[in-house]
Amino acid sequence: MKCRRCREPAVIDIRRHNAAFCRDCFRHHCHEQVRRAIDDFDMVEPGERILVAVSGGKDSLGLWQILRELGYDADGLYVGLGIGDYSDMSGSYAREFAAARGWPLLEVDLPGDFGFDVPTGSKAARRAPCSACGLSKRHVFNEAAIANGYGVLATGHNLDDEAAVLLGNVLRWETGYLGRQHPVLPAARGFARKVKPLVRLGERELAAYCVLADIDYIVEECPMAAGNRHLGYKEALNTIEERSPGTKAAFLFGFLERGHERFRGDAEDERADLGACRECGAPTPGDLCAFCRLRVRATGQPLPFLAEEAP
Ligand code: AMP
Ligand code: FES
Ligand code: ZN
């Protein structure tokens, strides 16, 4: 097996691209895929500061490294979710990565800063853990980006993640979610722009990138996610991909080129007419945003603002 670019012996093959690469050319390939995603979808404006949400896993640490190597002004954000040993470990990986490179890492801790953790929040709100967790992360990411003056928030969602989410949304014809499923979610009042620069790279490519770039990352998956629906969609897509390499990318990029536009209106309707949460100011269709409602239930305490109003 020879490297497609330089003809030296290859260390990895990517069936989807019908190509193999040596170590250096593979890193170049990963950089190019991220550069293309950013250019094709106009993810970042010149001079803009990027906040990268890092979980300590391969995707987000790989993303942070690639963005910096491409010359972007990118800092990290780690959110402590209070999921026992898993959170302790993932936080250590994120901190060690940042400290070794001298790159700024912002931290927000759900238990320390908001008084509850994901397991408690999920039980109190009778939500699946990943749902309470996803809601909390989205809220904290957005708030941290806006409060600290970052124009854009980047997450490590990769091709496998996005294809699996798309499959789930198509199976249930979730038109609002389909309208929002895009590598760029534009900024709006109260919302920072959200981007997914890894959409052109698969999970296996990120794992290989981290190994070749000497990035130490947490290999364990979140214990609360075991058996969730999303993992089932990933397995189904892997079975198909095994037989027909390239199907995953064709599914996702075909949707982005030819399907997404038809659902965009559904998502825009949902974003119109949002007011501000009276506790935290986040955009919400109601009086209190979903995160503040979760917080009230999980802590069993009225929020400071609500307490003031009580007779
Ligand atoms: P997940 O929702 O676990 O699939 O993670 C998707 C992306 O969200 C990751 O690639 C990270 O960019 C980000 N992320 C997940 N967990 C955290 C965390 N605890 N702190 C900061 N960012 C996170
Ligand atoms: Fe959110 Fe596991 S990381 S439930
Ligand atoms: Zn709120």
Side-chain angles (χ1 to χ4, degrees):
M1 212 168 52
K2 284 195 176 148
C3 172
R4 170 158 95 180
R5 234 173 123 237
C6 73
R7 314 308 298 164
E8 291 293 310
V11 294
I12 181 167
D13 76 314
I14 302 167
R15 287 175 69 204
R16 177 172 94 252
H17 291 298
N18 206 2
F21 295 105
C22 71
R23 182 191 169 110
D24 287 350
C25 293
F26 177 67
R27 283 181 74 164
H28 176 264
H29 158 82
C30 293
H31 286 176
E32 281 310 298
Q33 296 302 313
V34 171
R35 191 199 305 278
R36 253 188 86 177
I38 292 176
D39 289 352
D40 287 356
F41 296 106
D42 291 327
M43 292 185 178
V44 184
E45 285 168 18
E48 212 165 35
R49 293 167 71 221
I50 308 176
L51 187 61
V52 189
V54 290
S55 63
K58 62 184 186 322
D59 302 307
S60 47
L61 293 183
L63 171 62
W64 195 3
Q65 175 90 24
I66 294 173
L67 288 174
R68 282 272 181 155
E69 285 174 0
L70 287 174
Y72 287 101
D73 184 357
D75 297 339
L77 165 68
Y78 173 75
V79 181
L81 300 165
I83 308 178
D85 292 349
Y86 171 75
S87 289
D88 296 342
M89 267 170 42
S90 56
S92 307
Y93 279 97
R95 277 176 218 120
E96 276 166 29
F97 177 92
R101 289 158 181 78
W103 299 345
L105 177 70
L106 312 189
E107 289 204 43
V108 176
D109 189 55
L110 221 46
D113 296 327
F114 296 101
F116 72 99
D117 55 28
V118 162
T120 313
S122 112
K123 256 185 252 138
R126 296 205 186 88
R127 276 172 173 263
C130 294
S131 148
C133 174
L135 184 163
S136 305
K137 283 191 290 202
R138 280 192 300 277
H139 179 90
V140 172
F141 292 172
N142 190 59
E143 194 173 74
I146 290 183
N148 294 286
Y150 292 88
V152 50
L153 180 111
T155 51
H157 294 94
N158 60 36
L159 170 60
D160 295 62
D161 296 322
E162 292 304 286
V165 170
L166 176 61
L167 180 59
N169 287 339
V170 166
L171 289 175
R172 290 189 165 66
W173 292 114
E174 299 278 9
T175 57
Y177 291 153
L178 286 168
R180 245 182 290 155
Q181 182 160 11
H182 197 271
V184 179
L185 211 55
R189 198 155 47 107
F191 290 109
R193 186 176 339 114
K194 316 280 164 26
V195 300
K196 298 171 181 170
L198 296 182
V199 275
R200 301 184 58 89
L201 288 170
E203 213 143 83
R204 188 172 149 264
E205 286 158 276
L206 262 312
Y209 181 86
C210 287
V211 171
L212 296 175
D214 286 326
I215 296 174
D216 220 5
Y217 63 88
I218 184 166
V219 176
E220 285 77 16
E221 299 286 339
C222 167
M224 309 210 78
N228 79 7
R229 219 190 255 158
H230 183 73
L231 292 177
Y233 297 145
K234 274 195 173 170
E235 283 167 21
L237 284 171
N238 284 340
T239 307
I240 300 172
E241 182 79 13
E242 183 63 33
R243 291 210 182 181
S244 334
T247 306
K248 240 182 249 177
F251 178 50
L252 180 64
F253 289 98
F255 165 74
L256 294 174
E257 280 158 29
R258 300 190 291 280
H260 174 260
E261 191 58 36
R262 300 172 195 224
F263 299 99
R264 199 209 281 271
D266 290 59
E268 279 169 3
D269 290 350
E270 284 178 11
R271 267 188 158 197
D273 306 328
L274 293 181
C277 169
R278 66 177 175 133
E279 175 58 30
C280 73
T284 172
D287 183 31
L288 269 189
C289 74
F291 178 76
C292 287
R293 274 182 280 138
L294 175 66
R295 187 177 166 196
V296 170
R297 285 194 174 168
T299 57
Q301 307 259 325
L303 296 166
F305 184 98
L306 296 177
E308 266 168 37
E309 277 202 351

